[in-house]
Amino acid sequence: MAKLALFRALIASMLLSLCIMAAPAAGQDVQLRGLGRFDGWRENALIGYGLVTGLAGSGDTRRNAVTRQALRNVLSRLGTTVSEDQISSRNVAVVMVIATLPASANVGDRIDATVSSIGDARSLAGGTLLMTPMLGPDQRPYALAQGALVAGGYSFESELNQQQRNYPTTALLQGGATVEQAVDAQILKNGEVSFLLSDPSFGTAQRIAETINARFGFGTASARSADQVRVRYTGDPSDLTNFLARIETLSVRPESHPRVVVNERTGTIVAGGDVQISSVAISQGDIKITIKAENVASQPGFVSGFASDVRSLVVTNTKLDVDDAVGDTVVRFPNTTVADLVLGLSRARVSTRRMIGILQAIKTAGALHADIIVQ
């Protein structure tokens, strides 16, 4: 009896530990800097058009008229006049240069740029980008890019033999763009600062406003929509940075949205531990049907040579096989979560790709209470 009681206690403790492990994790407080950004604090895209020189015969061919014209323009600005017939080098490639200007940048700051070929060059490895103005959306130059390129691959070809690694027609200009015009984000507008949520939620926006009011006084913040919280600021403009820094460090517990993300290409399923599923019965199995047709010629040998109108007869034999797939599964689940469902299907040796199909079918049946995002 003592051994039986000890065994029952051991089983109870194991079940209790499993229940604790299966319980969804409680939400945690997150600082506001991880939930969104201030309106006006954004990066800006820059683009430019230039030439890469120094390529070892892997540049644009003579068929690319844009390259010859661009090279003539560069040489003419440097005081050299040449005709198109005199330009036959394959050591030059015409490229597009893109970069991202930070929300706050000073003159002389260096940023990275990406260079991509727009001609028929085979590789940009070993090339050097000539001075290229980087324009903003307003067509004003904000930076100048120039320097040696770093390509993450190579491409060599000789007598119909080719060796290539990665994509050498795109290269990185590490810190090769210099900011020429200072920019500063305008965050304070009409005495207000707007905080924009990355994941819109009315509950989270209201909690943010309540937290700010509790810290700086009632009426300081108000939730205008699911993705915007307005904050009033009437202090000294020179102290705005300190005010925003204190707001960013405030912590709020955001609302969680039930979502299930599936990737059919890689067979990946990602879901929160508390995504609920109603009672459901799942039957998963395949039936494999194979039809084989064999053609057999029947040759009447006993009359061969005696009758000219006797011919061979072609007979088609058809064989039909029906096989049940190995691992057919019928599973019943009470009210549970996606985590428990996936765990149960894994123990039943159901593949990940079949799980994706099961989750989509459960969603169609109305038993999965979450959004399915297919990547």
Side-chain angles (χ1 to χ4, degrees):
M1 295 296 293
K3 292 183 178 179
L4 181 60
L6 180 61
F7 178 74
R8 290 179 177 177
L10 179 61
I11 294 297
S13 63
M14 292 176 61
L15 292 176
L16 180 60
S17 63
L18 289 175
C19 292
I20 294 175
M21 293 175 60
Q28 297 180 353
D29 293 345
V30 180
Q31 289 187 348
L32 295 190
R33 68 181 64 182
L35 298 178
R37 63 178 179 87
F38 292 106
D39 187 18
W41 187 264
R42 57 181 294 272
E43 296 178 339
N44 302 276
L46 300 179
I47 189 171
Y49 165 83
L51 282 177
V52 172
T53 61
L55 304 176
S58 61
D60 296 336
T61 62
R62 284 185 54 84
R63 296 190 301 269
N64 198 333
V66 178
T67 305
R68 298 198 305 270
Q69 179 181 354
L71 184 57
R72 288 182 57 192
N73 294 338
V74 172
L75 294 178
S76 64
R77 289 198 299 267
L78 297 177
T80 302
T81 303
V82 295
S83 62
E84 291 190 3
D85 297 336
Q86 296 175 322
I87 300 176
S88 60
S89 173
R90 289 206 59 185
N91 296 343
V92 181
V94 61
V95 295
M96 297 298 293
V97 187
I98 60 174
T100 300
L101 186 66
S104 179
N106 300 314
V107 176
D109 292 347
R110 305 187 70 87
I111 58 178
D112 298 337
T114 303
V115 182
S116 302
S117 172
I118 61 175
D120 54 1
R122 296 194 305 267
S123 175
L124 298 180
T128 301
L129 176 69
L130 300 183
M131 185 181 297
T132 302
M134 305 292 294
L135 307 180
D138 55 358
Q139 298 300 312
R140 297 172 57 187
Y142 287 89
L144 289 178
Q146 179 173 280
L149 304 181
V150 178
Y154 58 80
S155 177
F156 299 101
E157 182 178 357
S158 177
E159 297 180 358
L160 301 181
N161 295 321
Q162 183 178 4
Q163 293 288 336
Q164 179 174 332
R165 179 184 179 185
N166 297 333
Y167 299 95
T169 53
T170 300
L172 178 65
L173 190 62
Q174 188 75 31
T178 305
V179 177
E180 298 295 333
Q181 183 173 341
V183 293
D184 193 10
Q186 298 296 327
I187 299 178
L188 183 62
K189 301 176 182 178
N190 299 325
E192 289 186 341
V193 175
S194 296
F195 183 80
L196 305 179
L197 279 72
S198 301
D199 191 6
S201 172
F202 288 103
T204 304
Q206 184 62 33
R207 292 177 185 177
I208 292 176
E210 293 175 354
T211 303
I212 295 176
N213 289 332
R215 176 65 177 83
F216 298 98
F218 180 78
T220 303
S222 60
R224 299 296 177 89
S225 62
D227 61 349
Q228 185 181 34
V229 177
R230 294 286 183 90
V231 183
R232 293 196 309 169
Y233 179 73
T234 57
D236 189 355
S238 61
D239 195 43
L240 178 62
T241 301
N242 183 28
F243 177 71
L244 298 179
R246 287 185 292 171
I247 290 181
E248 283 186 334
T249 57
L250 297 178
S251 297
V252 174
R253 181 167 300 180
E255 288 188 345
S256 60
H257 298 276
R259 294 174 181 171
V260 179
V261 181
V262 298
N263 191 319
E264 294 184 341
R265 297 188 302 272
T266 61
T268 304
I269 302 175
V270 180
D274 55 348
V275 178
Q276 297 295 321
I277 295 179
S278 300
S279 298
V280 65
I282 301 170
S283 176
Q284 171 56 279
D286 296 331
I287 296 179
K288 181 180 179 181
I289 301 176
T290 304
I291 300 176
K292 296 181 180 179
E294 297 181 356
N295 296 324
V296 180
S298 177
Q299 176 66 34
F302 64 93
V303 296
S304 177
F306 297 97
S308 59
D309 58 344
V310 178
R311 297 289 185 271
S312 299
L313 178 63
V314 179
V315 180
T316 301
N317 297 323
T318 302
K319 183 179 180 181
L320 176 64
D321 295 330
V322 178
D323 297 330
D324 291 335
V326 179
D328 292 353
T329 306
V330 178
V331 186
R332 293 181 181 273
F333 286 94
N335 292 347
T336 183
T337 63
V338 171
D340 296 333
L341 173 64
V342 173
L343 180 60
L345 294 177
S346 299
R347 291 176 177 175
R349 299 184 181 277
V350 177
S351 64
T352 306
R353 297 188 182 276
R354 288 187 176 185
M355 292 182 192
I356 294 175
I358 290 173
L359 290 174
Q360 292 175 336
I362 295 176
K363 176 63 176 178
T364 304
L368 177 58
H369 309 293
D371 295 332
I372 294 183
I373 301 176
V374 181
Q375 295 182 342

